[in-house]
Amino acid sequence: MQIRRDTIGLTVNGSLMRLYVAQPQPEGRWAGLLFYLDIFSLVIRSRAWRIA
């Protein structure tokens, strides 16, 4: 299965919050997980990719 990976920005209270999105490529309904990214986001990214 191919995984689509994107980094997007979301403005919260006037500040930019960066979001990393990993999702299965086929269309459909999938369960979702939300990770809070801190300064060590590289470890979280690899885990999000594996779960997706």
Side-chain angles (χ1 to χ4, degrees):
M1 177 179 288
Q2 292 197 352
I3 305 298
R4 180 179 172 187
R5 293 172 270 184
D6 295 308
T7 303
I8 60 174
L10 177 68
T11 303
V12 178
N13 292 331
S15 296
L16 180 65
M17 178 191 296
R18 292 183 302 154
L19 304 172
Y20 177 72
V21 179
Q23 64 188 48
Q25 191 61 34
E27 293 293 326
R29 295 183 65 158
W30 304 96
L33 292 173
L34 177 64
F35 289 95
Y36 177 79
L37 298 181
D38 58 9
I39 194 167
F40 304 109
S41 65
L42 293 177
V43 174
I44 300 295
R45 285 181 184 202
S46 65
R47 290 182 183 159
W49 180 82
R50 288 192 325 190
I51 291 171

